Amino acid sequence: MRRQRPTLIAVSTLIAITLTTAAPTPATAAPPDQVTALTAHQADGYTTLAWHPVDGATDYQIERTPVDANGTPTAAPTIVGIWRPNRQINQQAPTFADAGYNPGDTFQWRVRARTGTTEQPYSDPVTATTTAPWGNPTTSGEQLRTGWETTHAAQYTNDTDEYAYTAAIDALSDRVRVVELGRTVQNRPVNMLVIGHPTPAATPQAVAATAPVAINCNVHGNEPGDREACLIMARQLAFSTDPRITDLLSHTTVLIVPTINGDGRANNTRGNSTGQDLNRDYSLIRQPETTAYIKMVRDYRPVAGYDGHEFGNSRAGDLPMLPPRHQNVAQPIFDQSQDMIEGHMYAKGAEAGWWACPYGCDGGGNVGLSEETILRNTLGLKNVTNSLLELRSSGGQTRPDEGNTANNRRRKTYSALWTFHQFLDYHRADRADILKARSEAIETQAANTGRLVFRGSRPIPAHPAPHPGDSPPPLDAPPADLILDNPPCAYKLTDAQYNGTRTDGPGGIGTTVAQRIAAHGWKVITIGDDHYVPLNQPERGLIPLLLDGKGVEKLTDGERVHPTVTGRRNGPLTVTGFTCADDATINGPVTVRAGAALVTTATTISGPLTATGAAGILLADSTINGPVRIATTDTISIIDATIAGPVDLSGNTTGTDAPVLAGSTIRGPLNCTGNNPTPTNLGIANTVHGPRTTQCAAL
Ligand SMILES: [Zn+2]
């Protein structure tokens, strides 16, 4: 459908028009309060206007006029933007991303300062043709368009169009594989595009080795702006020959889930078809949609993420963002996420003219808090550097032209597209830091030290105004009754708790606790009818939120199991049943009997440590000054350990849950033979001084 051309209106006062260039028009004898040096730089769906600041300006107005190929106005000029000082970090180089027009059309822009309410003279105008929708219309693949693009933002891309469009990308591009992660309650596919260059890695485990990034585009069905950006970006990533794109895709894998909530999108509802807000379900995973996403995180192990939304505060910036704030999120992940937002997005936003700010900014209310049910926090607790992304749903005070629905939708989608590209650039540039933060976070969590908080956020510090970060969201400090200073070693679940039927899913049914723990990827030790979930694991901060009686939104009331071996102990130790050692020094050999389990943190064992047919061995932040031999054992995790060696892992059959050997130093040989599955290092390399056998050669 062709969009309607606006009625031509002659504007006789607009006479100074630059036809072909976005360069500033030289001003002879410009009045002192006139904006000078206006430039217009074109990008995908937006135009960056930049100018020299005027002393004493309170704000600036951005005017846009449609013009024809001859530069003749075809409609009245409109104030489309208000630049305010809190838009950007560098006040001396003002920029404004104008968006909300039909890409490919030609416009003239002028900018004027205001001093209080006094309007100063307009700048000389700049005229330019904006960038058409990405992709050559005559090149196979590139010519694909979404339903939203072909209707000029009159309609959002519907579900059947999405599946056809992504299937076409899959068919036409070697770089893309579309996989189905699961199905919605109403049986719509939850698809993910797996994108790499020249081809994406073949299996989830192989993708995980590329330190992938994940974009969740549409969890709230009535917030569709990010999803359209994801679909456009998928086409760019699939077919672009830009060296930047091929370089990005040669160094990571991009995972795009356009629509986790297909039922909500089809019905334009926030929740899924049962009314459940899926962004309050990522920890509990009662719903099939969230279960599919969490299993994806378990299997593909993204190291960084963005989660797309829209936000209804008309005073907020263009792009409210927020890191995982729950206090159980390891500090390095919080810090890295803040660096991505405040270090990268604020700085790049000031260059491009987009206004990133903390979610909730400027009177946004009690939002952006610590609920672990929210993907931002769930991912943080899973050691993923990540951010929320909100698109201000209305034009608000700074984009007064967005009463036009199509223009409003375009601004939102193209601001999301900018953000997601910046996200990929950040990952490319800061990959080493992201991986270091992840390694440190996993080792910190597995050490199981420090208090546990059941609800409560870290503060987002305010920057001195004017600054995009001058109005952060409120702090929800944890109340005393939601703090546990003495963390247990593990939670013990009865068989009824673990395998019992649940009624908290759609249709009054639900997956079992056992299935949900498996979806999260946590290790469980089963001894008789008891099921132990140790806390010396990478997602230590999330486990109690679901299994402790204090959990605000929990699955069950597990029994806290505290360490029984602490302090100094001389002589051999034979482990029967479930034994937990913390802050212990064991001077003697340790033998774990068949069917028994040993969990250690901050413990030194003189060794040797031997386990045959054990129910589980989980060692973290511990030292073994002798050989370690673990055979035919059900559950194995060794994180941040120092072992004199040799280390022998043989004949262990651990179901779908691979033995973990991560971030450890082994001063002797490492032999791994006949383990099924093959051991994994979670992306954290070990240091092995001796030779290692095939199964552990890559660890
Ligand atoms: Zn939302």
Side-chain angles (χ1 to χ4, degrees):
M1 181 193 313
R2 275 193 65 80
R3 95 207 113 81
Q4 298 229 309
R5 278 279 178 187
T7 310
L8 187 146
I9 300 171
V11 183
S12 59
T13 54
L14 300 177
I15 49 173
I17 291 168
T18 306
L19 282 178
T20 57
T21 174
T25 303
T28 53
D33 294 328
Q34 183 182 26
V35 164
T36 57
L38 177 65
T39 59
H41 174 79
Q42 305 304 325
D44 283 326
Y46 69 94
T47 302
T48 300
L49 302 167
W51 59 90
H52 287 175
V54 170
D55 284 346
T58 311
D59 64 9
Y60 297 87
Q61 291 180 306
I62 291 89
E63 180 202 72
R64 183 175 75 215
T65 307
V67 299
D68 66 15
N70 297 316
T72 304
T74 59
T78 305
I79 301 290
V80 294
I82 308 291
W83 185 97
R84 288 177 172 171
N86 59 341
R87 282 192 78 85
Q88 63 186 72
I89 54 173
N90 53 336
Q91 302 290 304
Q92 289 310 304
T95 58
F96 189 93
D98 183 31
Y101 50 70
N102 185 60
D105 287 355
T106 303
F107 300 99
Q108 172 196 277
W109 289 271
R110 300 192 302 175
V111 175
R112 69 181 173 194
R114 291 194 298 190
T115 311
T117 57
T118 303
E119 293 161 350
Q120 304 297 339
Y122 268 118
S123 68
D124 291 330
V126 170
T127 298
T129 298
T130 60
T131 303
W134 189 89
N136 188 325
T138 62
T139 301
S140 177
E142 289 191 21
Q143 98 290 355
L144 295 167
R145 296 290 182 271
T146 65
W148 183 82
E149 290 175 293
T150 55
T151 62
H152 298 277
Q155 293 173 20
Y156 289 110
T157 306
N158 68 28
D159 51 354
T160 53
D161 283 349
E162 175 197 316
Y163 305 138
Y165 173 85
T166 54
I169 290 176
D170 186 344
L172 293 170
S173 172
D174 290 341
R175 301 178 193 169
V176 177
R177 179 171 67 247
V178 177
V179 298
E180 183 178 308
L181 300 178
R183 291 262 167 166
T184 67
V185 173
Q186 294 181 337
N187 205 34
R188 287 185 172 85
V190 176
N191 286 339
M192 179 168 78
L193 296 104
V194 183
I195 311 177
H197 185 274
T199 61
T203 64
Q205 297 91 323
V207 170
T210 69
V213 298
I215 303 174
N216 193 31
C217 310
N218 186 217
V219 64
H220 291 144
N222 59 349
E223 300 173 4
D226 312 82
R227 172 173 171 268
E228 299 296 341
C230 283
L231 295 174
I232 293 169
M233 190 165 89
R235 180 172 86 238
Q236 296 173 321
L237 298 179
F239 301 109
S240 175
T241 55
D242 181 342
R244 169 182 160 266
I245 297 290
T246 50
D247 174 70
L248 285 171
L249 295 176
S250 300
H251 287 87
T252 190
T253 309
V254 181
L255 308 173
I256 297 176
V257 179
T259 321
I260 184 179
N261 184 11
D263 301 345
R265 176 77 286 274
N267 294 294
N268 200 39
T269 57
R270 177 180 176 89
N272 71 357
S273 64
T274 74
Q276 174 63 46
D277 182 341
L278 295 177
N279 203 29
R280 299 296 182 276
D281 194 52
Y282 284 104
S283 55
L284 293 162
I285 47 176
R286 294 161 292 193
Q287 303 290 326
E289 297 92 343
T290 43
T291 302
Y293 201 86
I294 289 302
K295 285 181 175 176
M296 182 282 286
V297 173
R298 177 195 66 192
D299 294 342
Y300 288 82
R301 299 207 302 267
V303 302
Y306 253 89
D307 184 33
H309 294 260
E310 299 187 21
F311 178 49
N313 173 13
S314 65
R315 294 165 66 193
D318 298 323
L319 296 165
M321 301 180 184
L322 204 66
R325 296 177 72 192
H326 193 292
Q327 288 193 2
N328 288 1
V329 173
Q331 187 76 42
I333 293 297
F334 176 81
D335 291 344
Q336 195 68 39
S337 303
Q338 277 285 77
D339 181 67
M340 180 168 74
I341 297 167
E342 300 200 357
H344 185 86
M345 295 294 180
Y346 287 7
K348 296 298 180 181
E351 294 174 12
W354 290 115
W355 181 9
C357 70
Y359 182 40
C361 59
D362 202 2
N366 206 33
V367 297
L369 304 179
S370 62
E371 301 98 311
E372 71 279 3
T373 54
I374 295 174
L375 184 61
R376 165 177 59 90
N377 285 318
T378 315
L379 286 180
L381 292 162
K382 289 176 177 287
N383 309 300
V384 179
T385 293
N386 85 101
S387 177
L388 173 78
L389 174 66
E390 300 277 350
L391 314 174
R392 187 188 58 246
S393 52
S394 72
Q397 297 172 2
T398 64
R399 294 185 181 273
D401 180 45
E402 294 189 11
N404 179 313
T405 299
N407 287 352
N408 171 256
R409 290 174 175 177
R410 289 163 175 148
R411 185 266 304 167
K412 286 186 284 192
T413 284
Y414 289 113
S415 67
L417 184 61
W418 173 83
T419 305
F420 295 150
H421 276 285
Q422 286 298 326
F423 171 49
L424 300 188
D425 286 343
Y426 178 76
H427 174 271
R428 178 73 180 93
D430 286 51
R431 175 193 173 106
D433 287 348
I434 292 169
L435 293 180
K436 181 164 179 279
R438 182 174 172 86
S439 300
E440 290 176 359
I442 287 173
E443 292 179 7
T444 299
Q445 292 221 53
N448 190 22
T449 54
R451 69 182 195 178
L452 291 165
V453 167
F454 292 92
R455 278 283 159 86
S457 289
R458 284 196 175 77
I460 306 293
H463 291 266
H467 187 282
D470 64 20
S471 187
L475 172 64
D476 58 329
D481 67 335
L482 293 183
I483 297 172
L484 185 61
D485 283 316
N486 180 26
C489 163
Y491 289 94
K492 182 168 87 172
L493 307 185
T494 65
D495 202 57
Q497 289 175 319
Y498 190 65
N499 286 317
T501 304
R502 295 186 68 90
T503 57
D504 57 353
I509 59 164
T511 49
T512 63
V513 169
Q515 289 169 313
R516 297 187 206 184
I517 287 175
H520 281 296
W522 303 341
K523 295 199 182 303
V524 178
I525 295 168
T526 294
I527 299 177
D529 278 345
D530 294 328
H531 308 277
Y532 297 86
V533 185
L535 290 194
N536 66 347
Q537 302 199 55
E539 297 179 14
R540 174 256 192 185
L542 183 56
I543 292 168
L545 310 185
L546 292 172
L547 302 184
D548 193 286
K550 275 185 182 288
V552 178
E553 293 184 72
K554 63 197 173 191
L555 287 174
T556 191
D557 292 358
E559 178 189 336
R560 293 176 193 162
V561 178
H562 286 279
T564 51
V565 179
T566 60
R568 179 168 291 271
R569 177 194 171 95
N570 293 320
L573 173 66
T574 299
V575 171
T576 57
F578 182 88
T579 297
C580 182
D582 177 58
D583 202 13
T585 300
I586 303 169
N587 288 319
V590 174
T591 303
V592 182
R593 284 276 166 81
L598 177 65
V599 172
T600 75
T601 45
T603 287
T604 299
I605 298 172
S606 60
L609 169 61
T610 307
T612 302
I617 303 291
L618 275 73
L619 315 174
D621 185 28
S622 291
T623 300
I624 319 295
N625 290 317
V628 171
R629 176 178 166 74
I630 302 173
T632 58
T633 288
D634 297 337
T635 305
I636 300 167
S637 174
I638 302 172
I639 299 175
D640 190 23
T642 301
I643 303 175
V647 172
D648 186 289
L649 305 178
S650 293
N652 299 290
T653 302
T654 54
T656 56
D657 192 20
V660 168
L661 178 57
S664 294
T665 299
I666 296 169
R667 300 221 163 82
L670 172 61
N671 176 50
C672 301
T673 306
N675 300 289
N676 186 17
T678 299
T680 176
N681 68 8
L682 301 177
I684 311 174
N686 299 284
T687 301
V688 180
H689 294 165
R692 31 179 146 183
T693 59
T694 311
Q695 267 202 334
C696 287
L699 294 186

